[in-house]
Amino acid sequence: MALTGRLTKKLVENLSAGRHGDGGGLHLVVDPSGARRWIVRVVVKGQKNKKGGPLRTDFGLGGADIVTLNQARERALEYRRMAKQGLNPRFNATREVPTFEEIAQQVHIDRMPTWKSEKHGQQWMTTIRDYAFPKIGRMPVDSIGQPEVLMCLAPIWTEKHETARRLSQRIKIVLDVAKSKGHRSGENPVTAIHDAQVLPKIKAKPKHHKAMTWQDVPAFYADLKARDAMAAKALRVTCLTGSRSNEVLGMRWEEIDFEARLWTCPAERMKTGEEHRVPLTDEMLAIIEPLKAMKSDFVFEGQKRNKPLSNMSMLMLLRRMGVEGVTVHGFRSTFRDWASDIANAPREVAEMSLSHRVGSEVERAYARSDLLEKRRVLMQQWSEYAVGSATKVQKLG
């Protein structure tokens, strides 16, 4: 049996999607995604399929990015020799199939450049490490089916449903990658479990951040304004902009255009993954501009030089002020209620002020404006209300 065929190294690297034969039952399978893997089709001597015909079976030999053309030919030759002797390669081949943990670790490394933040990347692996590795981490990735996946998901499906839901997504990704590299075949067991509704439906309970009523904001803001701590300045900007706390704490000087009176929060720091422009009012600028004198990388510098304030700084300030039962995130709801109840702001203006996505994907594709000028008017009125200088609110509706 020769080790030469129709394919070449160059063809392996450049062939388009489809199934490309090398001869002797060896094929290169190129997925639409560009992933390339080797398979070999053999007929096992003396063995019959369910219909009584020759037992013809496809076997994965590994991804083309790992297994070279010559290695694939050698493995295919080994499989054909076993089949000629009446041995089923599924049970007799000595294949080096990676474990679930090995593939998961590689997926994590490959995706590092795409993580929204280092913290998100750590969370991705932590979930798998805590709930999947102890059960299936050392198992060959091609031996993991529905029972093994259920071992990971079932114990936490009800008690920690959100964690279980994310775990199922991450296990699915690992198994999909394993298949693309030729280490698995057939349907993803996570998909099969979902489609068959094997696990019970869990009705998610919405989490509401406790918010201050808008009527209490002027008195609270006056108390806040009298404090000189950096956390107080950051909290004032958080309240006035309706931004998320991590967006404010991560604010850098290059994001601020003082001439245009605009703060542009980059996509990588936004929950939506899209750049968000925030109009700056006189009150906001009065807080921010004096901080330039510190010459820090961050607008709101923490205790360490060129490092931002911690995530807990503003919440701890609320507690020191004796403000109980209110979260920093809740000020977004406070602003939203005021925008509806008092300013009568159109829904899309109020929602865009909070960097919420408005409408369907199709609607967003056509509505390219972020309504900046209308939001500027709304933010100015909110600032005036907070500092107690508002006389009459102009209705935006």
Side-chain angles (χ1 to χ4, degrees):
M1 295 184 184
L3 288 181
T4 58
R6 293 190 288 270
L7 297 179
T8 64
K9 183 175 181 292
K10 190 171 183 179
L11 284 172
V12 170
E13 293 172 351
N14 295 289
L15 283 169
S16 58
R19 184 170 173 143
H20 309 282
D22 182 60
L26 177 64
H27 291 82
L28 172 72
V29 178
V30 182
D31 293 335
S33 66
R36 298 161 190 272
R37 64 185 187 277
W38 298 107
I39 64 167
V40 61
R41 172 167 289 185
V42 300
V43 177
V44 182
K45 180 182 177 182
Q47 295 187 18
K48 305 293 182 181
N49 60 25
K50 292 180 181 179
K51 294 183 179 179
L55 182 60
R56 184 179 287 107
T57 314
D58 287 350
F59 295 96
L61 302 179
D65 58 334
I66 299 173
V67 180
T68 67
L69 175 59
N70 283 336
Q71 287 173 333
R73 285 171 175 164
E74 289 172 359
R75 292 184 187 183
L77 179 59
E78 177 191 351
Y79 277 42
R80 292 201 302 274
R81 282 173 175 162
M82 282 189 287
K84 260 197 160 186
Q85 297 170 26
L87 301 173
N88 191 320
R90 187 180 303 281
F91 308 108
N92 294 279
T94 55
R95 291 184 297 152
E96 293 181 6
V97 180
T99 65
F100 178 87
E101 182 172 343
E102 289 170 336
I103 294 289
Q105 296 282 9
Q106 190 58 51
V107 170
H108 183 244
I109 292 170
D110 291 344
R111 296 191 174 209
M112 273 185 179
T114 69
W115 300 128
K116 184 180 290 187
S117 66
E118 184 180 347
K119 182 180 178 182
H120 182 233
Q122 291 171 346
Q123 289 173 338
W124 195 93
M125 181 51 76
T126 299
T127 308
I128 293 181
R129 184 197 65 205
D130 291 350
Y131 298 103
F133 285 178
K135 305 284 180 65
I136 62 175
R138 296 184 180 180
M139 293 180 65
V141 75
D142 65 345
S143 65
I144 295 171
Q146 292 186 48
E148 290 73 30
V149 173
L150 284 170
M151 281 196 307
C152 303
L153 300 181
I156 60 172
W157 188 254
T158 302
E159 184 181 347
K160 301 178 179 178
H161 181 65
E162 185 59 25
T163 300
R165 187 185 65 79
R166 291 176 181 172
L167 177 63
S168 69
Q169 292 174 341
R170 291 161 191 177
I171 292 175
K172 181 180 184 300
I173 289 171
V174 174
L175 297 182
D176 280 341
V177 170
K179 182 177 180 180
S180 74
K181 292 182 178 294
H183 301 308
R184 287 182 58 85
S185 60
E187 184 181 23
N188 193 307
V190 177
T191 303
I193 289 170
H194 179 268
D195 291 347
Q197 298 183 353
V198 175
L199 293 164
K201 284 188 177 181
I202 305 294
K203 191 172 182 180
K205 296 179 180 178
K207 291 184 178 180
H208 298 291
H209 296 274
K210 294 179 180 178
M212 179 179 290
T213 63
W214 56 260
Q215 293 92 337
D216 293 334
V217 168
F220 165 75
Y221 192 85
D223 186 357
L224 192 60
K225 195 170 182 177
R227 298 169 183 267
D228 198 43
M230 186 64 77
K233 299 179 192 298
L235 185 52
R236 285 166 64 191
V237 170
T238 302
C239 295
L240 295 176
T241 60
S243 298
R244 299 175 182 88
S245 56
N246 64 303
E247 295 162 9
V248 172
L249 295 176
M251 187 189 295
R252 292 176 176 267
W253 290 110
E254 59 265 28
E255 298 171 6
I256 300 173
D257 185 336
F258 286 98
E259 187 175 342
R261 299 166 66 89
L262 204 62
W263 164 37
T264 303
C265 192
E268 59 267 23
R269 291 206 295 107
M270 295 299 300
K271 184 178 181 180
T272 59
E274 298 175 357
E275 179 183 275
H276 180 56
R277 299 194 297 171
V278 181
L280 298 175
T281 65
D282 291 339
E283 180 69 11
M284 299 174 197
L285 289 169
I287 302 166
I288 294 170
E289 283 189 296
L291 299 177
K292 285 193 290 187
M294 296 185 67
K295 295 182 179 180
S296 172
D297 292 344
F298 292 90
V299 175
F300 301 105
E301 187 178 66
Q303 293 183 341
K304 293 184 179 179
R305 181 65 176 159
N306 289 321
K307 296 291 183 181
L309 281 169
S310 73
N311 285 329
M312 290 298 293
S313 58
M314 293 189 286
L315 181 60
M316 295 306 294
L317 173 61
L318 285 175
R319 298 298 171 261
R320 289 196 299 272
M321 294 173 68
V323 180
E324 300 294 336
V326 169
T327 65
V328 176
H329 194 89
F331 283 104
R332 287 166 59 80
S333 296
T334 305
F335 165 77
R336 186 64 180 86
D337 290 343
W338 172 89
S340 294
D341 297 349
I342 300 301
N344 195 29
R347 176 178 175 273
E348 60 270 22
V349 176
E351 290 294 302
M352 283 189 178
S353 295
L354 294 170
S355 69
H356 285 161
R357 290 179 173 177
V358 180
S360 66
E361 288 187 15
V362 174
E363 288 173 319
R364 291 198 298 273
Y366 283 98
R368 299 189 183 279
S369 169
D370 63 357
L371 306 177
L372 179 64
E373 294 312 312
K374 289 186 177 180
R375 292 192 292 114
R376 191 182 292 279
V377 173
L378 183 63
M379 284 299 182
Q380 180 61 38
Q381 293 181 352
W382 171 239
S383 283
E384 291 174 359
Y385 174 76
V387 300
S389 63
T391 52
K392 184 178 181 182
V393 175
Q394 174 191 345
K395 301 291 185 178
L396 296 181

